[in-house]
Amino acid sequence: MLRGVSSSVLFDSNTVIPAGYGSIPPPRAVAVDFSGVHDTKGSSKSFPKHETRHVSEHKNVARCARFSPDGRFLATGSADTSIKLFEVSKIKQMMLPDARDGPPINDLDFHPQHAILISGAKDHTIKFFDFSKSILKRAVRVIQDTHNVRSVSFHPSGDFLLAGTDHPIAHLYDINTFQCYLSANVQEINGAINQVRYSCTGGMYVTASKDGAIRLWDGVTASCVRSIVGAHGTMEATGANFTKDQRYVLSSGKDSSVKLWEVGTGRLVKQYLGATHTQLRCQAVFNDTEEFVLSVDESSNEIVTWDALTAERVARWPSNHIGAPRWVEHSPTEAAFVTCGTDRSVRFWKETL
């Protein structure tokens, strides 16, 4: 069911897209090869020092953040229903849509080619915002789902999006027709989806569920090709995302572990231990070069970093939040990341030059 404007308005040919939007700069380094044995202590890389500053504050808990594919824009979402959009080069707030009482924002994503930002929220909606306009106070269109929308992910083509909801199977939407599709070939699955993410080509997607499982899905047929049941024991799997080469998935869970899985076999390749996360729906992420893994330690209120190859903890930094941050998101193109938390604040971190 669609509420809002007609489908022809979403990608108006007259819309002015920010110059160069969607063009991905060359990576700083090639993707890391995890297939070898890299467990030798002392061979870990040193994570460069970063400086951080408070860049904004919501009126309630800051729940999620996302960088655009080209790294030029950053969006944060809050329990106060507001979304804030920043231009990274200026860290300047550009937009504050729907800043009124309403449902918490659970997740955000950017369209890969167009200046469109989507949000998933507890009121079962997926909203589309056109940020090519300097001021935007409301969504240009809205999808009304049947469940609490916990996570959203655009297909790399931009023609489809996935919604992970309280329903145990991801909802696939054609954004041209807004028809919703469900996988027809699914065995018994229980548990809401905490996070859904496409691989970089869209050939696969991964779900992390409250039943503790990580599931890999065919991006074309929407069939489940591998279930890693009990990936985080009996605890919730809170996040999952692919490496750039699509050969591995990095997952996090409320068992205080971060794990790397081989997509082809479902084999556990590495564990990143030493950070407590048992309460919040936090995620673990790679830095832009995939040389490091970042997550949150709730008990010590720190940002924890591991060498991705050796799994050795190489840095623990005070988060500078009041209370542990509930989200960490790294830029896909540079040495910068963002944290946001229960103290309502958004902090931007960048490598010290």
Side-chain angles (χ1 to χ4, degrees):
M1 184 169 65
L2 170 65
R3 292 192 286 115
V5 299
S6 65
S7 59
S8 62
V9 176
L10 181 57
F11 302 130
D12 185 348
S13 60
N14 294 320
T15 296
V16 179
I17 296 175
Y21 180 75
S23 58
I24 310 299
R28 293 197 300 146
V30 296
V32 174
D33 180 13
F34 293 98
S35 59
V37 177
H38 303 276
D39 294 322
T40 306
K41 296 292 183 181
S43 63
S44 301
K45 293 184 174 70
S46 175
F47 190 55
K49 290 185 177 181
H50 285 53
E51 58 181 301
T52 180
R53 63 172 167 140
H54 176 281
V55 294
S56 189
E57 194 163 295
H58 288 272
K59 295 177 182 178
N60 206 324
V61 176
R63 294 171 58 86
C64 56
R66 204 75 182 266
F67 282 90
S68 62
D70 60 6
R72 291 178 56 202
F73 298 94
L74 164 68
T76 60
S78 169
D80 67 6
T81 196
S82 69
I83 298 168
K84 295 191 177 187
L85 182 69
F86 307 88
E87 189 171 1
V88 170
S89 63
K90 301 175 182 176
I91 298 297
K92 175 184 176 182
Q93 186 178 331
M94 296 169 60
M95 173 177 87
L96 229 159
D98 283 0
R100 60 176 186 270
D101 292 336
I105 304 297
N106 290 325
D107 201 12
L108 301 159
D109 199 12
F110 286 85
H111 191 281
Q113 290 93 32
H114 297 278
I116 296 292
L117 173 69
I118 59 171
S119 66
K122 279 194 173 182
D123 65 348
H124 306 178
T125 62
I126 302 169
K127 294 184 178 180
F128 288 67
F129 300 95
D130 180 355
F131 65 89
S132 65
K133 298 174 173 60
S134 59
I135 297 176
L136 178 63
K137 289 296 182 185
R138 63 192 186 113
V140 294
R141 65 191 309 190
V142 180
I143 297 175
Q144 186 71 52
D145 198 272
T146 52
H147 294 74
N148 170 23
V149 182
R150 293 171 164 270
S151 185
V152 287
S153 181
F154 265 119
H155 187 277
S157 69
D159 292 328
F160 302 93
L161 70 84
L162 282 167
T165 73
D166 281 348
H167 189 238
I169 301 169
H171 297 179
L172 174 66
Y173 285 95
D174 181 323
I175 70 164
N176 297 302
T177 66
F178 276 72
Q179 281 189 286
C180 180
Y181 300 90
L182 296 179
S183 176
N185 303 310
V186 179
Q187 297 176 345
E188 190 66 25
I189 293 179
N190 297 303
I193 295 171
N194 279 322
Q195 193 166 64
V196 59
R197 292 290 184 260
Y198 269 112
S199 66
C200 64
T201 64
M204 292 179 289
Y205 59 92
V206 61
T207 55
S209 299
K210 288 177 78 74
D211 66 1
I214 301 295
R215 294 183 176 91
L216 297 162
W217 305 76
D218 187 296
V220 177
T221 65
S223 58
C224 183
V225 295
R226 187 173 303 284
S227 292
I228 306 174
V229 178
H232 289 274
T234 59
M235 307 303 287
E236 292 182 30
T238 54
N241 49 80
F242 287 93
T243 54
K244 294 175 183 177
D245 62 8
Q246 306 176 91
R247 294 172 59 195
Y248 302 92
V249 163
L250 185 72
S251 73
S252 56
K254 289 188 176 180
D255 61 344
S256 296
S257 72
V258 176
K259 298 181 178 181
L260 188 72
W261 307 89
E262 189 172 50
V263 168
T265 63
R267 178 175 64 95
L268 177 61
V269 178
K270 296 186 184 296
Q271 290 194 74
Y272 306 94
L273 303 174
T276 302
H277 34 92
T278 60
Q279 301 298 317
L280 301 175
R281 186 174 61 98
C282 73
Q283 62 173 4
V285 293
F286 284 106
N287 75 322
D288 60 313
T289 62
E290 295 187 340
E291 295 172 289
F292 299 98
V293 173
L294 291 79
S295 191
V296 172
D297 189 315
E298 295 172 359
S299 61
S300 63
N301 191 10
E302 291 177 316
I303 308 299
V304 181
T305 306
W306 296 266
D307 182 289
L309 286 177
T310 67
E312 185 178 1
R313 201 172 58 226
V314 294
R316 296 185 74 104
W317 296 338
S319 76
N320 292 300
H321 288 271
I322 301 172
R326 62 176 300 136
W327 199 272
V328 57
E329 187 81 19
H330 203 284
S331 167
T333 59
E334 63 177 323
F337 63 93
V338 65
T339 55
C340 51
T342 53
D343 63 353
R344 308 179 182 185
S345 69
V346 178
R347 299 196 69 88
F348 187 80
W349 304 68
K350 66 176 182 176
E351 184 176 324
T352 305
L353 299 177

